[in-house]
Amino acid sequence: MTQLAEARTPLLDGGHLKLLTFNLQVGIQTSAYHHYLTRSWQHLLPHPKRLQRLNMIGEVLSRFDIVGLQEADGGSFRSSHINQVEYLATHAGFPHHFQQLNRNLGRIAQHSNGLLSRLTPSRIEEHRLPGTLPGRGAIHVRYGEGADALHLFVAHLALSHRGRVRQLDYLSEIIRPLRHVVVMGDLNCTPDQLHGHERFRASLPLHPVRPPLSYPSWQPRRALDHILLSDSLHADEVRVLEHLFSDHLPIAVDVRLPDACLASCLAVGRPNGERRRH
């Protein structure tokens, strides 16, 4: 966890916690299926306009309190050696950020999840999610202490059904004893598939409201990106943002926290830097 400059917008403006999840696709502009082929080289090589895109993305992210990122690059040749999580935190004015490196390809690519936060975390844990192919992970962030702490997970799940089932099983065991929970990220599965996973649904009862369509960004047909809330939390607004270059659209939710949970989150002082890997 790293502390940076002061945030640009008021924290908890209007009493709401503003959340956003976004699969960044390492800043590649994708607006048609054929771009997966014609622009695939950008997954390995730098692009002169990538930094300009990050600046535009940062302006949008600056409106939120907590942002979960997937498919960010941690600083390799393809990103011009820029840690995209750190860069966006700096540009958007987030005082705290955290990068989880999930697939380390050395100088070629640093596949990562990311957290940008205005609230001060009291604890952060990294989880390596099970799967046939390594490289999927989740960040578990705790805000506050005790039973009324807020637990937020940023996750990027596998493409395969079997892999996602194992990963949802894993997350279910962590979530089950917790009270105030947010799970956000590119879960690579539809609402029906989430509802069909009994263990996950039991650990985090899912609301019947269907999330907005987020993929593909140029003609959304599937809801693969989610911000899921425990019953103790209330979503005042769920919305999809405009196209921000990636093949996924950002998903945003305004959340009202219970008074005790809000007080616990705001009572935390400076981060203690505690970080654990699983």
Side-chain angles (χ1 to χ4, degrees):
M1 171 57 63
T2 303
Q3 279 193 278
L4 297 169
E6 289 299 318
R8 295 180 185 174
T9 57
L11 176 64
L12 294 166
D13 190 22
H16 292 170
L17 184 64
K18 299 178 287 295
L19 306 178
L20 179 117
T21 183
F22 182 37
N23 182 319
L24 183 64
Q25 202 194 15
V26 299
I28 298 174
Q29 184 171 8
T30 306
S31 54
Y33 281 113
H34 69 266
H35 288 163
Y36 285 119
L37 177 62
T38 60
R39 299 178 181 178
S40 60
W41 60 271
Q42 295 183 40
H43 286 281
L44 300 174
L45 300 173
H47 190 282
K49 292 187 177 180
R50 201 178 315 235
L51 193 61
Q52 179 184 354
R53 295 171 192 159
L54 287 180
N55 290 338
M56 297 176 68
I57 292 169
E59 291 297 325
V60 175
L61 302 188
S62 67
R63 309 169 194 166
F64 295 88
D65 296 318
I66 301 175
V67 174
L69 298 172
Q70 305 87 49
E71 290 195 30
D73 191 89
S76 64
F77 178 67
R78 66 175 177 175
S79 66
S80 301
H81 304 289
I82 292 173
N83 183 320
Q84 294 179 335
V85 177
E86 180 180 10
Y87 186 90
L88 288 171
T90 303
H91 187 78
F94 284 88
H96 313 288
H97 79 275
F98 183 80
Q99 175 211 348
Q100 179 190 35
L101 178 59
N102 294 316
R103 191 170 295 153
N104 187 350
L105 300 182
R107 297 180 180 179
I108 298 174
Q110 300 279 305
H111 298 283
S112 303
N113 290 333
L115 170 81
L116 314 179
S117 180
R118 303 199 190 289
L119 280 175
T120 302
S122 55
R123 186 184 181 117
I124 296 177
E125 298 179 2
E126 293 183 80
H127 294 273
R128 305 300 180 189
L129 298 179
T132 304
L133 294 175
R136 299 292 182 175
I139 304 171
H140 176 190
V141 191
R142 186 178 72 195
Y143 296 95
E145 303 290 346
D148 284 306
L150 175 66
H151 296 265
L152 184 140
F153 295 81
V154 178
H156 190 189
L157 302 189
L159 292 172
S160 71
H161 174 73
R162 179 178 296 181
R164 288 195 305 272
V165 168
R166 291 180 61 191
Q167 291 162 7
L168 288 171
D169 284 343
Y170 180 95
L171 290 174
S172 298
E173 292 304 307
I174 302 171
I175 293 170
R176 184 168 49 85
L178 306 178
R179 184 177 183 185
H180 308 301
V181 179
V182 176
V183 177
M184 58 197 297
D186 176 4
L187 304 186
N188 270 315
C189 55
T190 65
D192 290 341
Q193 290 170 326
L194 284 173
H195 280 274
H197 192 289
E198 293 184 4
R199 290 177 65 180
F200 187 73
R201 192 179 66 238
S203 64
L204 186 69
L206 299 172
H207 301 295
V209 177
R210 299 186 70 86
L213 304 179
S214 61
Y215 180 85
S217 55
W218 58 91
Q219 193 175 15
R221 296 177 178 175
R222 303 178 70 192
L224 301 182
D225 301 88
H226 303 268
I227 300 180
L228 309 173
L229 309 176
S230 59
D231 286 340
S232 64
L233 308 178
H234 179 76
D236 280 341
E237 184 180 3
V238 181
R239 61 196 183 278
V240 62
L241 274 63
E242 295 181 0
H243 190 191
L244 283 179
F245 308 111
S246 171
D247 58 345
H248 288 250
L249 293 173
I251 300 296
V253 174
D254 289 356
V255 177
R256 279 189 289 154
L257 303 177
D259 291 341
C261 180
L262 178 60
S264 180
C265 292
L266 294 178
V268 179
R270 288 187 173 274
N272 58 18
E274 185 173 5
R275 164 176 166 174
R276 304 181 72 184
R277 293 179 182 270
H278 293 268

